Amino acid sequence: MSVLAEEPATGVLPPPIVVGCKDAELDTLLEKEWLLTNKIGAYASGTVVGCNTRRYHGLLVAATAPPVGRVVALSTVMEQIIAGDTTYDPATNEFPETFSPRGAVHLLEFRNDVAPTFVFRIGKMELVKEILLAEAANAAALRYTLHGGSAKLRLRPFAALRDYHVLRKADEPHQMTFETVDAGVTVQDRLRSDHVLHVISREAQFVAEPQWWRRLLYRADAARGQDGLEDLYTPGFFDYDLAEGIPCQITASLNDPLPVGFQTTMTRRRERLGRLIGSIGSQADESTRRLAGASDAFVVLRSIPNAAPSASILAGFHWFADWGRDAFIALPGLMLATKRFDEARQVFRTFANHIANGMVPSRFDNYTAAAHYNSIDTSLWFIVAAERYMAATADAAFWRETLMPAAKTILNAYNAGTLFDIRADADGLLAGGSAKTQLTWMDVKLGEKPVTSRHGKAVEVNALWYCAHRIMACRCKGLDDGAADIYAQRAEIIAPAFMRTFWNDELDCLYDCVTDGAASATLRPNQIFAVSLPYSPLSADQQAAVVRTVVEKLLTPRGPRTLAPDDAEYCRHYGGPPESRDRAYHQGTVWPWLIGALVEAVLKTDGPTPPAVKQAGRWLAWLDEHLAEAGLGFVSEIFDGDPPHAPRGCIAQAWSVGELLRAKLLLADAQKSSQRV
C-alpha cells in the first residue's frame, strides 16, 4: 500500500513517497513506477520492486543527442547476497508465466526520494539500494549498504545497448562482446553500434561469465499490444565483501568512463531541488511542493547544430521528446511558477529561432533534430505563454527583442495564409486543415483519416486566435502603435464572429468545431479555453454557462473527459493494441492537463469566493491522491474515461504536472483573496 510519509520534510523538500511492499500484492507493486532524470534527457526508471515492465525501463537510458537519441544502455543489475551457506536473490524478473528470481519477497519498502531507494530484509540484515544519475552526463551509480551484519554481494549487470523504442533479441544479428578493464568491464555490440557501456567498481572483483538471459517479459508493453519479450546480455559479475554500514558502489556510463561521486551528486541534487521548490513559497502545501520538484524532470538542454545548447521542455516520459504545443502549455507551470525565467527565455528562443512560414515547430525530430510543422495552435500557445511570461516578469527588453517579433511573424503569416490552408477567413476567424489533416491537439490519425476530425474552425483555436490579437493590441502599445491598432481592429471583428459561429443556444454552450459551415455539437472540453484564456470573446453569462456545462457533463476525479459519456463515439477505456488506443485517445479519455484551464475558468467566472475556492480545491485534491498511484511524484498523461479512471499513457507528462501546479498556485492566491474578503 502506498502512503505519503508523515515525517516532516527537510527544509522545503516534501517527504519521500513510501511504498510499503511487505504485504502488498506483486501485481499492484508492478504498476507503481519511479523515474529519475537529469538535465540532458537521460533517465533511469523502473518499478518499485526493481522488475522492468517496459522496454523503456532501465538503470541508464542515455541521451546520445541531448535530449534525445536515447539508448537503453544498462537495463538492470541483478543482485545476490551470500551470507554463510544461504544465498538470497533480491532481484525480480518476469518471464512468461513465471517470475525468476522472486526478490520482491525480501523487499520491505521503496522510497521515492532524492535517490530512489529500495530496502530489503535479508535474513536478520537489511540491504539498502540507492540509485542516482550524474546531473548532466550519461552515467548512473548504484550504491549498496548492508546493516546488521556482513556478507558477500554479487552484482550482475545486464546490457541492452539499443534504441529505447526497440528490443534486443539474441537470435538477431549482433556481435555483443566485452573486455575487462581496470576496475571493471566494457560491453559493446560491434555489429550494430559504436556505443560502449562502461561498468566500473573499484571496490569489487569482476568475474567474466558471459550469458544471455532470454524472454524477459515486459508486461506493460504486452498489454499495449506490443512485443513484450527481450533477451539481455551479461558479461559476468562483480563480487563485493560487504561490511556493516560501509557502502559500495557500481557505476555505469555510456561511451566515456565517467565517475559519479554518489554523496556529492546527491547533495547537489537535493540542494538544487530545494532551491526550485523553495521558489514557490514556504507556505505551499506538500503536494504543491512535490509538483514543483517534479517540474524539474522536464526541463532539459537541447543540442542545437552550430549553437550553444539551449533549454527545452520534454513533453513526457518515457517516450516523448520536446513538442511545441506541450512546451508552451506547460511552461507557465513548470518554469514561471518556479521562477526559472532564464531557462524560460531559452525555451522561447529555441522555438522562435525555428519559426517557418509563421509556424512554431510542432516538435523536433528524435534522430535528426529537424523541426516538424503540423499544428495550427502551437504558434498561438507561444503567444499566450509569452503573455504569461510578461505578466510574471515585466521583461520589456525580452519582449522587444524576441517575443514581439515572433508574435508578429505568427499573426501576420496566419492572417495572410500559410501551410495546411491555415488562414483568416472572411469573417475574421481562423480556419485550417482538411479531412486528411489533424492540426489541433486532438491529433490522432489512422491511415489517412483523423480519428477526431476537427478541420475548419475549431473552438479553442479561435479562442486562442482572439486572445492572441488582444495580447498584441495591448503589448504593442507604445512600441508599435500602428500594429497595436491593427490587432485591436481585428480583435473587434473576431469577437462577434466567434459568438455567432460557436454559440449553441440549444445546449447553452459552445460548438466544438465548424467545418464547411456545419457546426459540430459534440460535447468536448475544448470550449473551456474560451473562458480561461487571458481574454475571452464571450459575455459573463456565456462564460458561466460554458463552465457549468463542462463541469456537469465532462468532469471526473482525474480531470475532464474529452467526450461526453452519452455520446455514441465515447470510449470507456484506453488500452490494448495501437489502433484501439488511438481510437480512444481523444474520445472520452480523461486528460488531467485540462484541469488547469477549468480551475482558472471557475475562479474567473465566480471570483475568489469561498464556494468557488472550495469547489476548485476539491477537484485538485482528487489529483493530489494520484501522486502516489502510478509514476510516483508525477501526474500521468491520461486516464480511462470510466471509473476507476485508471492511469494510462506516459507516467509523467509535462503539461499534466505544469497545469496542475499552476492551478494549485492560482487556488492558493484565490484562497488568500477569499480570506481578505
Side-chain angles (χ1 to χ4, degrees):
M1 180 178 183
S2 296
V3 296
L4 299 181
E6 295 180 356
E7 64 268 29
T10 302
V12 297
L13 290 178
I17 296 174
V18 177
V19 180
C21 302
K22 188 173 184 297
D23 299 315
E25 292 288 335
L26 182 55
D27 285 346
T28 300
L29 296 176
L30 289 172
E31 293 178 350
K32 298 183 184 299
E33 301 174 55
W34 57 272
L35 171 68
L36 183 66
T37 69
N38 70 6
K39 298 175 183 177
I40 63 171
Y43 70 83
S45 183
T47 65
V48 300
V49 296
C51 177
N52 291 344
T53 59
R54 303 180 188 272
R55 65 187 64 197
Y56 301 102
H57 283 160
L59 297 177
L60 175 60
V61 183
T64 61
V68 289
R70 292 198 183 117
V71 170
V72 180
L74 181 66
S75 180
T76 189
V77 171
M78 297 187 198
E79 304 94 356
Q80 284 188 322
I81 292 285
I82 304 166
D85 296 330
T86 306
T87 298
Y88 302 87
D89 292 284
T92 299
N93 301 290
E94 187 170 11
F95 297 86
E97 301 182 3
T98 191
F99 287 87
S100 179
R102 293 175 174 266
V105 299
H106 302 296
L107 187 61
L108 294 178
E109 69 179 29
F110 172 84
R111 296 197 294 266
N112 197 60
D113 209 342
V114 174
T117 303
F118 302 78
V119 181
F120 298 93
R121 172 64 63 192
I122 305 295
K124 295 182 179 181
M125 299 178 291
E126 187 174 275
L127 177 68
V128 178
K129 170 185 175 182
E130 303 165 283
I131 302 168
L132 270 183
L133 288 180
E135 286 285 271
N138 287 316
L142 282 74
R143 183 169 72 174
Y144 295 85
T145 309
L146 190 66
H147 300 283
S150 60
K152 176 173 286 188
L153 171 66
R154 177 164 294 174
L155 299 180
R156 184 179 287 277
F158 283 78
L161 286 173
R162 56 164 173 83
D163 182 282
Y164 75 153
H165 288 306
V166 301
L167 293 173
R168 169 72 67 175
K169 306 288 186 178
D171 295 333
E172 292 178 351
H174 68 269
Q175 192 179 346
M176 196 73 92
T177 60
F178 74 93
E179 291 184 10
T180 56
V181 295
D182 181 32
V185 64
T186 64
V187 184
Q188 182 178 11
D189 183 347
R190 293 180 177 173
L191 181 64
R192 297 173 60 177
S193 136
D194 294 330
H195 295 308
V196 180
L197 173 64
H198 300 260
V199 186
I200 303 296
S201 179
R202 299 192 178 279
E203 303 152 320
Q205 176 184 0
F206 176 74
V207 178
E209 188 182 65
Q211 298 176 354
W212 280 96
W213 286 40
R214 296 172 183 261
R215 294 173 61 79
L216 286 95
L217 175 64
Y218 301 147
R219 59 165 57 191
D221 288 348
R224 289 166 59 88
Q226 300 171 300
D227 181 2
L229 296 174
E230 177 159 53
D231 306 327
L232 291 176
Y233 176 81
T234 174
F237 55 86
F238 291 83
D239 271 348
Y240 300 79
D241 291 319
L242 286 184
E244 160 74 33
I246 299 177
C248 69
Q249 178 177 324
I250 187 171
T251 303
S253 58
L254 192 66
N255 296 335
D256 297 306
L258 300 173
V260 179
F262 202 99
Q263 194 60 46
T264 301
T265 301
M266 186 160 65
T267 299
R268 288 176 179 170
R269 178 173 168 78
R270 186 181 299 277
E271 290 173 348
R272 186 164 60 82
L273 289 174
R275 289 192 297 271
L276 177 67
I277 295 169
S279 69
I280 64 173
S282 59
Q283 301 305 310
D285 63 30
E286 182 179 303
S287 60
T288 303
R289 288 183 284 128
R290 198 176 300 287
L291 289 166
S295 72
D296 187 61
F298 306 100
V299 180
V300 294
L301 288 175
R302 167 161 278 284
S303 298
I304 300 173
N306 304 314
S310 182
S312 192
I313 295 174
L314 292 180
F317 289 90
H318 302 92
W319 47 80
F320 285 129
D322 37 356
W323 289 64
R325 177 189 294 117
D326 300 60
F328 293 112
I329 291 172
L331 185 147
L334 299 185
M335 291 183 148
L336 304 185
T338 56
K339 298 179 175 56
R340 300 177 78 154
F341 300 132
D342 180 63
E343 288 162 302
R345 288 189 289 271
Q346 292 181 45
V347 173
F348 280 116
R349 291 192 189 101
T350 297
F351 283 87
N353 289 340
H354 289 85
I355 291 176
N357 300 300
M359 298 184 71
V360 172
S362 306
R363 65 181 180 90
F364 292 101
D365 194 274
N366 279 3
Y367 300 99
T368 67
H372 292 251
Y373 306 86
N374 65 330
S375 163
I376 192 172
D377 58 322
T378 297
S379 301
L380 302 177
W381 279 114
F382 177 100
I383 297 174
V384 171
E387 168 63 17
R388 297 197 192 279
Y389 172 84
M390 290 301 297
T393 66
D395 187 349
F398 189 61
W399 175 260
R400 288 194 306 270
E401 295 163 5
T402 301
L403 298 178
M404 185 173 71
K408 283 183 175 182
T409 298
I410 291 165
L411 293 187
N412 292 344
Y414 272 36
N415 269 289
T418 187
L419 305 178
F420 304 104
D421 200 26
I422 296 171
R423 73 211 183 279
D425 207 356
D427 59 3
L429 297 179
L430 190 66
S434 69
K436 293 185 177 181
T437 59
Q438 72 286 17
L439 303 181
T440 75
W441 80 277
M442 294 184 167
D443 57 359
V444 173
K445 191 175 183 181
L446 290 175
E448 291 297 311
K449 184 175 175 56
V451 173
T452 310
S453 183
R454 304 181 69 239
H455 65 285
K457 299 171 183 175
V459 65
E460 81 282 6
V461 171
N462 278 282
L464 287 161
W465 180 239
Y466 171 75
C467 184
H469 280 85
R470 286 288 304 273
I471 289 169
M472 291 297 283
C474 177
R475 291 290 179 186
C476 288
K477 281 183 179 178
L479 297 174
D480 188 341
D481 289 332
D485 289 343
I486 291 172
Y487 296 129
Q489 291 166 11
R490 288 177 181 166
E492 291 299 315
I493 295 170
I494 295 167
F498 184 95
M499 288 187 281
R500 288 194 308 271
T501 302
F502 290 104
W503 188 253
N504 184 336
D505 276 320
E506 182 180 350
L507 297 181
D508 210 26
C509 63
L510 294 171
Y511 290 114
D512 185 62
C513 190
V514 177
T515 303
D516 298 328
S520 169
T522 303
L523 189 55
R524 297 188 184 278
N526 303 307
Q527 59 188 297
I528 199 65
F529 295 105
V531 183
S532 66
L533 289 170
Y535 298 98
S536 171
L538 301 177
S539 70
D541 287 345
Q542 288 173 321
Q543 292 181 46
V546 166
V547 172
R548 186 166 54 250
T549 297
V550 172
V551 171
E552 292 177 357
K553 302 294 186 181
L554 298 173
L555 186 61
T556 77
R558 294 294 183 255
R561 295 181 175 96
T562 44
L563 186 64
D566 59 1
D567 193 291
E569 299 297 318
Y570 175 75
C571 295
R572 299 158 58 89
H573 301 290
Y574 175 92
E579 182 174 339
S580 174
R581 287 184 277 118
D582 286 346
R583 291 193 183 282
Y585 206 36
H586 302 111
Q587 297 290 85
T589 297
V590 173
W591 289 74
W593 76 272
L594 296 167
I595 199 68
L598 183 58
V599 167
E600 189 169 26
V602 77
L603 294 177
K604 180 185 288 188
T605 55
D606 291 359
T609 61
V613 168
K614 183 178 180 180
Q615 182 182 48
R618 185 171 67 253
W619 299 340
L620 297 181
W622 290 338
L623 277 164
D624 286 349
E625 299 169 358
H626 169 64
L627 296 177
E629 181 182 21
L632 300 182
F634 293 96
V635 185
S636 296
E637 178 189 8
I638 52 177
F639 298 84
D640 282 343
D642 270 14
H645 307 294
R648 307 293 185 188
C650 284
I651 66 167
Q653 194 78 358
W655 60 10
S656 299
V657 170
E659 280 295 270
L660 182 56
L661 176 57
R662 189 175 72 89
K664 288 180 72 67
L665 295 177
L666 286 172
L667 180 62
D669 288 342
Q671 286 172 326
K672 293 175 185 175
S673 298
S674 176
Q675 291 165 1
R676 286 196 295 269
V677 172

